[in-house]
């Protein structure tokens, strides 16, 4: 049986008190909340919120603890949205849902600024073990942004990858890195770009001394893109079994996968809470359908969880943690 590791892809909902407090503070300060310009009161509120979500995960029994990305108002676009070489312009729909982010327009060289690393440093003070970093994958981050500096799609993707590499190199010790790549599903790369996307993911993965999971969601990856992703030196690829379990199973049956796998077995956008038994059944089903004995299965929500009410978020991570400790069913004699 594989080791089942209960975790999440991060981007948590803000605690209710923090929503109210930060809304009031931001209204008075009228800031874009760019790193370093937030003000002491806003910084303090985020620190208290971080402490709360770390404690929630620890109390629930998750195996990997995320910083929570509570400052990421622009969701996966955040690392660029707060960069000095980026202008944030109009409001853009975040994939095909009712969330929006500020369009990050790159106007100068992208250099590592340590924004995400600073958040992880703060989380490391709160976590004894099992710290997990979360980043947008290079393909998704480039897809969410607009380039007005590099002038070439390939050069821009390379620049975004280099930026993320520089960020990763400033991380404290982490056990796992989740690279979130929904654009591989939502905006599939064309011929040539799919290979470059894999190489960009590979570059980021090789910059960190941790287990790296490239997590995809909102559907299955196209076959050619998946085949190229398999070339990336990552430890696990993530599959959204909530959105489409059959096609994801087909990709693994046809092209194989890594020795470890991440499975989106809990709905990160729906308030219905899955039982630990249901979660474990989905993990066992995937293993049986793919006829593979994995070293590790990362059991996770399929998407980010900022869509959820805080109480449902708590219930879902507790179910994930409990599912990981369930005894496997006895084999028929």
């Amino acid at each position: 049986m594989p080791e089942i590791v209960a975790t999440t892809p991060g981007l948590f909902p803000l605690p209710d008190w923090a929503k109210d407090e930060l809304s009031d503070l931001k209204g008075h300060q009228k800031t874009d909340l760019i790193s370093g310009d937030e003000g002491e009161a806003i910084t303090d509120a985020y620190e208290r919120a971080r402490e709360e979500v770390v404690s929630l995960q620890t109390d629930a029994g998750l195996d990997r603890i995320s910083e929570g990305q509570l400052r990421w108002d622009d969701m996966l676009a955040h690392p660029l949205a707060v960069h000095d070489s980026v202008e944030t312009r109009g409001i853009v729909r975040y994939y095909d849902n009712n969330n929006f982010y500020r369009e990050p327009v790159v106007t100068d060289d992208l250099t590592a600024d340590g924004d995400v690393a600073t958040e992880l440093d703060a989380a490391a003070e709160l976590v004894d073990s099992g710290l997990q970093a979360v980043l947008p994958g290079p393909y998704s981050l480039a897809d969410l942004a607009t380039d007005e500096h590099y002038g070439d799609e390939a050069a821009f993707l390379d620049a975004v990858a280099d930026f993320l590499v520089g960020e990763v190199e400033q991380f404290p010790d982490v056990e796992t890195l989740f690279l979130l790549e929904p654009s591989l599903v939502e905006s599939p790369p064309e011929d040539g770009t799919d290979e470059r996307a894999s190489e960009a993911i590979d570059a980021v993965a090789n910059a960190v001394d941790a287990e790296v999971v490239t997590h995809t969601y909102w559907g299955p990856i196209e076959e050619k893109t998946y085949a190229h992703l398999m070339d990336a030196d990552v430890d696990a690829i993530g599959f959204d079994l909530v959105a489409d379990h059959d096609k994801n199973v087909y990709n693994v049956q046809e092209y194989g996968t890594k020795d470890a796998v991440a499975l989106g077995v809990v709905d990160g956008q729906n308030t219905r809470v899955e039982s630990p038994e249901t979660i474990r059944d989905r993990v066992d089903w995937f293993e049986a359908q793919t006829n593979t004995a994995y070293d590790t299965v990362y059991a996770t929500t399929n998407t980010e969880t900022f869509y959820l009410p805080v109480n449902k978020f708590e219930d879902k991570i507790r179910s994930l943690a409990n599912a990981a400790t369930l005894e496997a069913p006895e084999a028929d004699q």
Side-chain angles (χ1 to χ4, degrees), residues 195 198-199 202 225-234 237 258:
E195 184 175 358
S198 176
E199 291 170 351
D202 190 74
T225 301
Y226 181 76
H228 280 296
L229 183 57
M230 277 293 292
D231 292 334
D233 188 19
V234 299
I237 295 172
K258 307 290 183 176

Side-chain angles (χ1 to χ4, degrees), residues 180-305:
L180 306 186
E181 283 283 16
S183 286
L184 289 177
V185 172
E186 289 291 304
S187 304
E190 298 176 352
D191 287 350
T193 304
D194 47 13
E195 184 175 358
R196 287 195 297 272
S198 176
E199 291 170 351
I201 291 167
D202 190 74
V204 179
N206 281 311
V208 63
D209 184 16
E211 299 294 300
V212 179
V213 178
T214 298
H215 187 47
T216 62
Y217 46 101
W218 289 321
I221 316 174
E222 291 186 354
E223 291 181 47
K224 192 169 182 292
T225 301
Y226 181 76
H228 280 296
L229 183 57
M230 277 293 292
D231 292 334
D233 188 19
V234 299
D235 297 282
I237 295 172
F239 302 96
D240 180 352
L241 301 190
V242 174
D244 191 320
H245 51 276
D246 288 333
K247 183 62 187 300
N248 280 314
V249 163
Y250 170 80
N251 280 341
V252 176
Q253 290 172 335
E254 190 72 14
Y255 301 99
T257 196
K258 307 290 183 176
D259 293 334
V261 66
L263 300 179
V265 287
V266 169
D267 195 330
Q269 301 177 88
N270 189 296
T271 57
R272 181 179 58 82
V273 178
E274 300 84 348
S275 70
E277 292 77 15
T278 295
I279 295 167
R280 186 56 180 266
D281 284 347
R282 291 173 178 176
V283 170
D284 294 342
W285 176 87
F286 184 88
E287 188 174 26
Q289 292 296 310
T290 58
N291 194 29
T292 303
Y294 301 101
D295 294 338
T296 304
V297 171
Y298 294 91
T300 180
T301 57
N302 63 326
T303 68
E304 313 107 326
T305 55

